Amino acid sequence: MCDDLYIQHKESWFKFTDVKADGNCMYYCLAKCPMTPLSSADAIRKVLAEIMRKPSETLMNFFVEYHKTDDDPEPSLQEWEDTVLQETEWGSNFESSLFGAIFGVDIRIVTNTPSGLEECDTRTLLTMYEIDAEKVIPEDSPAFYLYLHKHLQPEQPTKKPNHFAVLELVDHDPPDGSKLYKHPGATDHSVEASATHQESTTQQGEKRVPISSKSEKKSSLPPKPEKKSSLPP
């Protein structure tokens, strides 16, 4: 772990805090969010499953739009619940956004890609799927940052990120002796809803089929971690 690492993003410094790599990395990160009383990956999984047993119309629309494909236009909530409750099943943009909706937090995923540090926030993600973000995450909601990168190589841009860590915004310069990282491209890219849609990859490395013809208007998402049996998230 590289807990003395500071990462520069959008002219601000963030303290990098790593978590265990055992299939629960995203949930471990969310458990560190100060806006939630939950303190374990297991507790977060259970709350997400419980909320979706009786979802609001908005959350149900988001679930369907996010998960449906041409081959599966009516995704199963029960199958999703069975998956999310499995301890080593990886989390996705949907679960992080659902967490944000429950606790009123704008989850922002910063991905270390070859072209730059690309950020996608929950409000933008909801907008991509034509969900009224203001009903779910008000504009003035606090932000919590996750860092998607290559496991054990947070300073290495990659096309195949497979691990989440926490980024904590700091209001001071990094302490003397800290490791400092600024992307070699020196340009940050925020994901915009008007950008060209690109296929993302699932945690198993499979291409995700665009959810509908409307997908051409939607931006690319943070690439989902590509799972490797020898390197869990």
Side-chain angles (χ1 to χ4, degrees), residues 9 12-15 145 167-171:
H9 175 52
S12 297
W13 285 106
F14 291 79
K15 186 178 187 299
Y145 290 83
L167 290 183
E168 178 187 357
L169 179 64
V170 297
D171 58 1

Side-chain angles (χ1 to χ4, degrees), residues 5-205:
L5 174 65
Y6 285 77
I7 295 174
Q8 189 177 55
H9 175 52
K10 293 183 175 179
E11 300 184 355
S12 297
W13 285 106
F14 291 79
K15 186 178 187 299
F16 173 92
T17 300
D18 209 351
V19 297
K20 289 190 298 184
D22 63 0
N24 293 293
C25 63
M26 190 191 79
Y27 296 100
Y28 289 142
C29 291
L30 294 177
K32 292 182 178 294
C33 177
M35 282 70 82
T36 174
L38 306 178
S39 59
S40 71
D42 182 62
I44 291 173
R45 289 178 182 273
K46 289 179 179 178
V47 166
L48 298 186
E50 181 179 354
I51 289 295
M52 289 305 293
R53 285 172 190 152
K54 294 182 179 180
S56 66
E57 181 179 357
T58 298
L59 289 181
M60 189 62 199
N61 288 341
F62 181 35
F63 171 82
V64 172
E65 290 300 314
Y66 183 88
H67 289 94
K68 76 179 183 180
T69 65
D70 291 340
D71 295 330
D72 185 16
E74 298 182 359
S76 167
L77 261 177
Q78 186 59 58
E79 289 182 6
W80 171 83
E81 180 178 327
D82 292 343
T83 298
V84 82
L85 289 176
Q86 293 182 31
E87 183 176 348
T88 58
E89 281 293 327
W90 294 28
S92 73
N93 300 309
F94 176 77
E95 285 78 42
S96 65
S97 298
L98 179 58
F99 175 91
I102 294 171
F103 295 104
V105 183
D106 189 3
I107 303 298
R108 301 184 180 184
I109 299 177
V110 178
T111 306
N112 192 358
T113 75
S115 60
L117 296 182
E118 298 185 351
E119 178 182 324
C120 182
D121 62 272
T122 301
R123 288 174 56 84
T124 298
L125 180 63
L126 291 169
T127 301
M128 292 178 191
Y129 291 94
E130 301 187 0
I131 302 299
D132 186 350
E134 193 63 26
K135 291 183 178 180
V136 183
I137 308 288
E139 189 173 0
D140 60 352
S141 297
F144 185 69
Y145 290 83
L146 304 184
Y147 187 59
L148 182 56
H149 61 287
K150 182 82 169 179
H151 183 232
L152 298 179
Q153 300 179 42
E155 301 164 82
Q156 180 62 49
T158 180
K159 294 181 179 179
K160 298 180 179 181
N162 59 1
H163 186 64
F164 283 100
V166 175
L167 290 183
E168 178 187 357
L169 179 64
V170 297
D171 58 1
H172 55 78
D173 290 334
D176 292 341
S178 301
K179 295 180 181 178
L180 306 181
Y181 174 67
K182 182 176 181 180
H183 193 282
T187 302
D188 295 315
H189 303 276
S190 294
V191 176
E192 300 291 344
S194 61
T196 303
H197 176 81
Q198 299 175 358
E199 292 179 335
S200 60
T201 57
T202 67
Q203 293 159 356
Q204 290 75 32

